[in-house]
Amino acid sequence: NGMEYPVLSRKLRSSGGLAGRFLSYLSDWEKEEVLLDWNEIAEKFGYVHIGSCRISPNHRFLAYTLDTSGGELFSLEVKDLQSKHVIFSPPDKGIVSLAWAHDSENLLYTVCDETLRPNQVFCKKMQSDEAGLLVFMEDDVNCCVDITSTKDFKYITVNSNTRTSSEEGVYVMESGNVREGLWPVQKRTNKVQYFLEHHNGFFYILTNAPLKDTETAVEGYYLARCRAEKSLMDKWQVVALPGPDCTFQDMDIFHEHLVLFLQKDGLPLFCSIDLPVQIDFQEPKELGDFAPWFFPIPSNLCSILPGPNNDFMSSTFRLVVSSPVIPDLTVDYDMRKKTFTIVDQEEVTGLCSSIYTVGQSNVSSIQQNLQLIEDSQSWSDLSKLLSCERVQVVSHDGVSIPLVILYSREAHIHGESPGILYGYGAYGEDLDKSWCSDRLSLLARGWVLAFADVRGGGDPSWHIAGTKINKINSIQDFAACGMHLIKEGFVHESRLCAMGSSAGSLLVGAVVNMLPNLFSAAVLKVPFLDICNTMLDPTLPLTILDYEEFGDPNIPVEFDAIRSYSPYDNLSPGKCYPSILVTASFNDTRVGVWEAAKWVSKVRDVTCPSCSKSVVLKTNMQSGHFGEGGRFMRCEETAFEYAFLMKALGMDDMSAK
């Protein structure tokens, strides 16, 4: 729409058939109704970030959380879509998750404590003067509370989790009778997680709880179910085990189908099985026993994200499929017919560099090839222009680290090209390797872009291998990937750059201390650099919750581990450091703005006086941890970062050499 921020809108669905579409046209049903315009809020406050957004089951009310400072202290507003007025806006700040009851009259929401830990659940009856009713409160400072509704709106679930486990399991309440309170799905169990959905009188549960009364061993999650009755909650049936070399990651549920999100050999897969399940569960079954339909995907280097998929009665599951060489594909999978259709693909424009031979006419031909899969049996991508390969890099302890390497086939010069190494490696989060058009300007200049999936991200075992006293693995992995790029000639030894954001900056900062000559330039965004002092202050937001990730400094062995790699505490006196751009946000509640300021000040004070002049601090005085919310502002930030790296390497805007 050409605007800075999104617009949330809706339109009535036609009744179907030619006659229905004609009547819809005559009655103006196709006209979109604007529900929420981010741009209007941004114009009023100068900043906008919408967190949760939920429409009531009867489609009359819109509940959303709103941040106008960047500090993530979200407020709640409920808008009556008939009158267009906000009818409820409590004074509480720090509201995170929302869930509507089935009657569309009661809204449940979580409220944070002073450390930004969601710890209370309230229930508010719309169009009533009654105060919100406290439904649940979590006193354990290590746990956060999250709420959601089952897909069919029949139950509300309340989850109380630490960062790595759901020690007290999941509580549920009947959505049509929210005032009757909660009951637990399972007793409190350490290091056990549950993801719950409801279907036809059963709770389907994805869990890693130990299997009982069976000799079967399973790593990670499996699928179980139990009757949705208080008295039968402890009588579980194991429905499906993942099978060899495969793990379950998540699930979704529909009236006739259950969708499983899988990972096999570190790569994502999706499949559906028919419901209701017609199998005898005397013994655990493997996924293959259910005749699953695996959704065809175009590449082994894909990022796959589910679409909204809010309609419980639908037989279509929508995915957004993407990779470093595949512009975002929106694909609808018909689980009943076992067919799929490419609905849309992001248009690629701006490939105007002489390095590329693709002009606008060729881009149009790419778009023309995006036909229904039944017709073409092929997926369109830019692999003829861009090389994207996944290699394994051996780290310090012999473990192989996945590294995805992207470059232009025509512009890349072996042994001479500049490059950027990206990393994150925390909280079990995968590094984002989806399509990003911003990268084209660098690729056209011959840059190599590499993505290191270091330990600390990824699946549970890979995550744990990079946490607490094992955090040094993440740092060593990142260093090994950087050295691989130079050794194999992907990047010139004096032209390797690094980029990290938040916890990813910890990787970069620690490697710069260990190997000051490895990177010639770096960008650290809202960086977590003063980890030792931050983890010693439990009054700061999220610190206690981060004990499971980085370690508890009150435990000597974990303190020593943190102190050994803390970027702020391990700067090398007198050493030459690379050019570094450090960006911070004044209203950041996750990583204090002082961390970046302290680190830059200390670099300038103790390292080489000549080199330290090229360490630059850029502070945004209006935004928070996630930077500017608008797309044009984000483009400006990216352009600034790229320009800094080019200048640091002595490259002018037009040269790739």
Side-chain angles (χ1 to χ4, degrees):
N1 56 17
M3 291 188 279
E4 177 88 359
Y5 294 92
V7 176
L8 177 65
S9 60
R10 68 178 177 184
K11 62 182 178 181
L12 289 171
R13 180 185 296 173
S14 66
S15 56
L18 182 60
R21 289 195 295 270
F22 180 68
L23 290 174
S24 298
Y25 173 78
L26 292 179
S27 59
D28 204 26
W29 279 15
E30 291 294 312
K31 184 177 180 181
E32 287 190 351
E33 175 190 3
V34 174
L35 305 182
L36 188 66
D37 189 340
W38 275 247
N39 299 278
E40 292 180 356
I41 302 172
E43 188 174 343
K44 180 179 180 181
F45 294 101
Y47 177 91
V48 59
H49 183 188
I50 302 296
S52 300
C53 197
R54 299 286 184 271
I55 293 180
S56 61
N58 66 359
H59 303 285
R60 177 174 176 181
F61 301 110
L62 173 67
Y64 56 93
T65 59
L66 174 66
D67 173 23
T68 56
S69 71
E72 296 184 75
L73 291 170
F74 288 91
S75 59
L76 169 64
E77 293 187 353
V78 180
K79 185 178 181 181
D80 186 333
L81 298 176
Q82 291 182 0
S83 67
K84 308 297 184 184
H85 294 136
V86 173
I87 61 170
F88 177 59
S89 182
D92 306 274
K93 298 292 183 182
I95 294 174
V96 180
S97 54
L98 311 171
W100 283 101
H102 190 265
D103 58 11
S104 297
E105 292 184 3
N106 289 282
L107 175 69
L108 290 94
Y109 57 93
T110 60
V111 179
C112 291
D113 64 12
E114 62 276 3
T115 65
L116 298 187
R117 176 181 69 95
N119 70 323
Q120 295 178 311
V121 179
F122 287 90
C123 179
K124 168 64 179 176
K125 187 172 184 178
M126 293 297 103
Q127 304 186 83
S128 167
D129 294 332
E130 295 179 17
L133 174 69
L134 180 63
V135 174
F136 181 84
M137 183 166 181
E138 178 54 74
D139 294 322
D140 189 336
V141 296
N142 297 297
C143 294
C144 295
V145 176
D146 178 62
I147 55 172
T148 188
S149 170
T150 57
K151 191 76 165 282
D152 58 5
F153 281 108
K154 291 188 176 179
Y155 291 89
I156 302 291
T157 66
V158 176
N159 309 272
S160 187
N161 313 317
T162 62
R163 284 209 191 260
T164 60
S165 65
S166 148
E167 294 187 352
E168 47 282 1
V170 178
Y171 300 87
V172 297
M173 67 172 68
E174 294 181 7
S175 184
N177 199 8
V178 293
R179 304 281 167 149
E180 289 299 312
L182 298 158
W183 71 84
V185 174
Q186 277 282 4
K187 294 180 181 179
R188 180 182 298 235
T189 307
N190 189 31
K191 303 300 180 184
V192 171
Q193 290 183 308
Y194 308 95
F195 304 94
L196 178 146
E197 264 295 352
H198 177 261
H199 182 273
N200 195 28
F202 284 94
F203 287 132
Y204 283 81
I205 304 156
L206 203 63
T207 181
N208 61 347
L211 289 170
K212 299 176 182 178
D213 303 323
T214 177
E215 296 180 357
T216 304
V218 60
E219 291 187 12
Y221 299 100
Y222 59 90
L223 183 65
R225 75 174 185 178
C226 66
R227 285 283 180 185
E229 300 176 25
K230 290 183 183 179
S231 60
L232 299 175
M233 293 295 285
D234 60 341
K235 301 185 185 303
W236 285 28
Q237 293 177 315
V238 177
V239 177
L241 303 176
D245 303 320
C246 187
T247 59
F248 292 163
Q249 303 290 313
D250 205 345
M251 68 173 177
D252 200 347
I253 207 160
F254 296 81
H255 178 58
E256 296 179 343
H257 306 278
L258 185 144
V259 178
L260 286 168
F261 308 1
L262 314 169
Q263 197 168 74
K264 188 174 179 65
D265 299 325
L267 301 171
L269 292 172
F270 284 73
C271 74
S272 65
I273 60 177
D274 294 341
L275 292 177
V277 174
Q278 306 290 350
I279 285 185
D280 179 16
F281 297 115
Q282 294 301 317
E283 292 185 2
K285 306 292 182 181
E286 289 196 355
L287 180 59
D289 296 325
F290 297 88
W293 178 51
F294 284 88
F295 299 173
I297 55 176
S299 169
N300 285 338
L301 292 170
C302 276
S303 164
I304 308 178
L305 294 174
N309 297 307
N310 292 323
D311 186 357
F312 179 72
M313 301 304 295
S314 176
S315 63
T316 298
F317 191 83
R318 175 165 291 185
L319 288 175
V320 178
V321 179
S322 179
S323 88
V325 295
I326 301 177
D328 289 359
L329 278 164
T330 303
V331 187
D332 280 352
Y333 293 87
D334 190 320
M335 297 177 287
R336 188 180 298 157
K337 298 178 181 178
K338 294 181 171 53
T339 60
F340 55 99
T341 305
I342 298 175
V343 178
D344 182 52
Q345 184 168 32
E346 180 182 327
E347 184 178 358
V348 181
T349 58
L351 298 181
C352 56
S353 171
S354 60
I355 295 170
Y356 287 129
T357 58
V358 175
Q360 185 60 47
S361 60
N362 288 331
V363 171
S364 298
S365 70
I366 291 173
Q367 298 300 313
Q368 291 166 7
N369 286 333
L370 296 177
Q371 302 166 359
L372 297 182
I373 196 68
E374 291 87 347
D375 297 331
S376 67
Q377 292 297 314
S378 64
W379 305 84
S380 296
D381 58 38
L382 299 178
S383 59
K384 290 184 178 179
L385 298 172
L386 306 175
S387 172
C388 185
E389 55 185 286
R390 187 174 188 257
V391 301
Q392 298 290 330
V393 177
V394 178
S395 191
H396 68 291
D397 55 357
V399 174
S400 294
I401 311 303
L403 178 67
V404 173
I405 305 171
L406 175 69
Y407 58 88
S408 163
R409 295 185 185 277
E410 300 228 3
H412 177 253
I413 303 174
H414 185 81
E416 295 294 328
S417 284
I420 302 175
L421 179 63
Y422 297 86
Y424 187 70
Y427 306 113
E429 296 288 336
D430 289 318
L431 190 62
D432 181 18
K433 294 180 286 292
S434 58
W435 169 261
C436 179
S437 59
D438 292 348
R439 301 180 187 133
L440 293 174
S441 64
L442 290 181
L443 294 168
R445 292 174 170 87
W447 286 66
V448 173
L449 307 179
F451 308 86
D453 284 313
V454 302
R455 281 171 281 186
D459 64 37
S461 61
W462 198 247
H463 173 218
I464 292 171
T467 61
K468 294 188 175 181
I469 61 173
N470 296 321
K471 187 60 189 174
I472 191 65
N473 287 334
S474 304
I475 297 161
Q476 295 278 16
D477 295 348
F478 195 70
C481 290
M483 290 186 283
H484 177 86
L485 292 172
I486 293 172
K487 180 181 177 182
E488 298 301 319
F490 288 102
V491 178
H492 187 277
E493 62 180 356
S494 299
R495 290 185 170 184
L496 178 61
C497 305
M499 189 172 292
S501 179
S502 192
S505 295
L506 189 153
L507 294 177
V508 181
V511 173
V512 167
N513 287 337
M514 289 169 45
L515 302 167
N517 296 324
L518 180 60
F519 302 120
S520 297
V523 176
L524 308 181
K525 301 193 284 188
V526 288
F528 191 26
L529 297 168
D530 190 18
I531 180 174
C532 197
N533 285 314
T534 294
M535 297 302 291
L536 284 166
D537 188 351
T539 66
L540 291 173
L542 309 180
T543 290
I544 294 176
L545 298 176
D546 273 339
Y547 285 171
E548 285 198 47
E549 184 68 28
F550 300 105
D552 183 348
N554 299 297
I555 300 173
V557 65
E558 295 184 6
F559 171 82
D560 291 342
I562 295 170
R563 181 66 174 76
S564 70
Y565 63 76
S566 172
Y568 179 77
D569 296 295
N570 290 279
L571 291 169
S572 300
K575 288 288 184 69
C576 293
Y577 268 50
S579 301
I580 301 177
L581 170 64
V582 183
T583 65
S585 294
F586 188 76
N587 295 324
D588 191 342
T589 54
R590 293 176 181 255
V591 181
V593 65
W594 55 85
E595 293 211 19
K598 285 176 62 178
W599 187 84
V600 169
S601 176
K602 192 171 181 180
V603 168
R604 291 174 177 173
D605 186 46
V606 306
T607 65
C608 170
S610 299
C611 298
S612 64
K613 294 178 182 178
S614 61
V615 176
V616 178
L617 174 63
K618 180 174 182 280
T619 305
N620 189 318
M621 303 302 292
Q622 294 182 317
S623 67
H625 190 70
F626 297 103
E628 297 289 356
R631 56 175 178 155
F632 300 134
M633 293 180 184
R634 288 187 181 276
C635 285
E636 290 180 6
E637 289 181 355
T638 301
F640 189 94
E641 293 161 7
Y642 289 177
F644 174 86
L645 295 178
M646 290 180 191
K647 184 176 178 63
L649 297 190
M651 301 169 58
D652 62 37
D653 189 47
M654 298 303 293
S655 174
K657 298 182 175 62

